[in-house]
Amino acid sequence: MADDLLSQLKRMTTVVADTGDLETIRRFSPTDATTNPSLILQAAQQEGRRARLAEIARHATDIDDALDAVAVEIGSEISALVPGYVSTEVSARLSFDTEATLVRARSLIERYGRHGVGPERILIKVAATWEGIQAARVLEREGIHTNLTLLFSFTQARACADAGVTLVSPFVGRILDWHKAQDPEADFEDDRDPGVQSVRRIYEHFKGHGFDTIVMGASFRNSGEIKALAGCDRLTISPALLGELAETEGALERRLAPLDAETRPPEPQDEAEFRWALNEDAMATEKLAEGIRKFMADQRRLEALLGELRQA
């Protein structure tokens, strides 16, 4: 009998669970796990966490303290279930503030240390704005690993590699969403999927120029996108799609494979070049701004929940 697709994928790609739900992580045994404000909100709303959230809220010095305490507590629980990285995100409110991002990132690492989780286990997630990328450059030099998220363009990816970040998360599905909205009748199946094409271009650039930055496809809309990127360094996958892959049998073809570095990378972009290239990419500009707003909206919901519990 043929192996299921998830088992085959795990032999060629590091599978990451895109969830904060502990039972899901136990079920699928991923190597890593990623969280974001939306996933932390979902985990925090589970009835079994309410008493603990209330305790955290009452003992916190302010709402930011409570937010980070919740994120690190959930992340620490996840770290006991996966052997690899756990990604924890800096507040989306700081996406355009390099110094504030540095302060918050260092604080998160210190909090994890108090939970017995070392910095080698944590990826600090930062939005791939110019300011976020510069913060990541500093953090990496300090030995703090980073995951640059909300990445929609080759320009963002280039800047991240130049900064020496540990991992980038190009958002496959959200790229597809934008193109579908622009051209609803177009055929975006398989290799025609613009999100898949974006990840492949980034992967080939990184491998072809010898960058160590890990490429982790994210934000998938269907299992076809995942199959089209089999062999990518990492793929972070939602519980629903993990389940679909686990229940599907058949042969899975490797679509991406490491390349020998053939040429020196181009000169790094400066800030003006980065901002101009990003501005020229309407999809990336719109989806980056939208992504920050959406993460912030869910963070505000969590802030409201913690505020209510603090006053109860």
Side-chain angles (χ1 to χ4, degrees):
M1 183 176 293
D3 283 347
D4 64 83
L5 296 183
L6 182 59
S7 296
Q8 294 176 69
L9 182 64
K10 286 181 175 181
R11 292 198 287 268
M12 60 185 83
T13 289
T14 298
V15 171
V16 181
D18 197 11
T19 182
D21 181 69
L22 303 182
E23 290 307 313
T24 297
I25 293 170
R26 290 189 184 98
R27 176 186 173 192
F28 294 109
S29 300
T31 300
D32 300 347
T34 59
T35 65
N36 60 43
S38 303
L39 296 175
I40 292 295
L41 175 63
Q42 292 173 16
Q45 289 173 323
Q46 295 170 351
E47 189 59 34
R49 289 191 180 276
R50 195 168 184 85
R52 177 57 183 153
L53 285 181
E55 182 182 357
I56 289 173
R58 285 193 295 268
H59 287 88
T61 57
D62 56 29
I63 197 65
D64 287 338
D65 184 40
L67 286 169
D68 285 357
V70 170
V72 169
E73 179 152 312
I74 293 173
S76 297
E77 292 175 11
I78 292 171
S79 74
L81 301 177
V82 300
Y85 290 124
V86 176
S87 289
T88 297
E89 193 148 348
V90 170
S91 170
R93 189 179 279 122
L94 306 180
S95 297
F96 304 101
D97 189 330
T98 297
E99 290 305 317
T101 295
L102 290 171
V103 171
R104 200 69 169 267
R106 292 164 183 150
S107 174
L108 287 168
I109 292 297
E110 289 175 4
R111 287 176 185 271
Y112 269 112
R114 293 197 290 271
H115 282 262
V117 182
E120 71 281 357
R121 297 290 315 283
I122 303 302
L123 291 176
I124 296 296
K125 285 181 77 173
V126 181
T129 58
W130 177 259
E131 294 82 1
I133 294 168
Q134 301 321 302
R137 183 191 302 274
V138 175
L139 292 170
E140 292 286 351
R141 290 173 179 170
E142 295 177 358
I144 297 175
H145 301 300
T146 58
N147 170 354
L148 273 290
T149 187
L150 294 176
L151 195 150
F152 301 99
S153 73
F154 183 68
T155 294
Q156 290 172 288
R158 272 191 60 193
C160 289
D162 291 337
V165 308
T166 297
L167 181 148
V168 295
S169 297
F171 275 37
V172 179
R174 296 194 196 187
I175 293 175
L176 175 62
D177 293 344
W178 189 91
H179 285 277
K180 278 188 170 182
Q182 301 299 309
D183 191 356
E185 302 303 318
D187 179 4
F188 294 123
E189 293 296 316
D190 303 320
D191 291 341
R192 293 177 291 276
D193 186 312
V196 169
Q197 292 172 357
S198 176
V199 175
R200 287 183 178 170
R201 182 184 182 193
I202 293 166
Y203 181 90
E204 290 170 1
H205 176 77
F206 285 12
K207 305 310 173 187
H209 292 302
F211 289 111
D212 293 329
T213 298
I214 296 163
V215 181
M216 182 175 75
S219 172
F220 294 107
R221 294 294 179 258
N222 55 70
S223 60
E225 292 176 323
I226 297 169
K227 290 184 280 188
L229 293 173
C232 191
D233 297 333
R234 279 169 167 76
L235 298 175
T236 183
I237 306 171
S238 69
L241 290 176
L242 285 170
E244 180 182 333
L245 293 168
E247 293 165 7
T248 305
E249 295 181 350
L252 181 65
E253 176 189 356
R254 176 185 280 273
R255 304 297 297 277
L256 295 178
L259 305 170
D260 292 330
E262 296 179 353
T263 59
R264 294 179 60 187
E267 288 296 314
Q269 304 166 97
D270 62 22
E271 181 177 354
E273 291 169 330
F274 173 89
R275 293 193 185 280
W276 178 253
L278 187 60
N279 181 73
E280 288 289 277
D281 188 333
M283 177 276 296
T285 300
E286 293 171 21
K287 298 307 288 186
L288 174 59
E290 177 189 76
I292 292 171
R293 287 194 300 270
K294 285 185 173 180
F295 280 165
M296 197 59 225
D298 282 335
Q299 181 177 314
R300 289 191 183 101
R301 293 187 184 98
L302 182 55
E303 289 173 352
L305 173 61
L306 290 170
E308 292 171 5
L309 292 172
R310 191 173 185 178
Q311 296 172 6

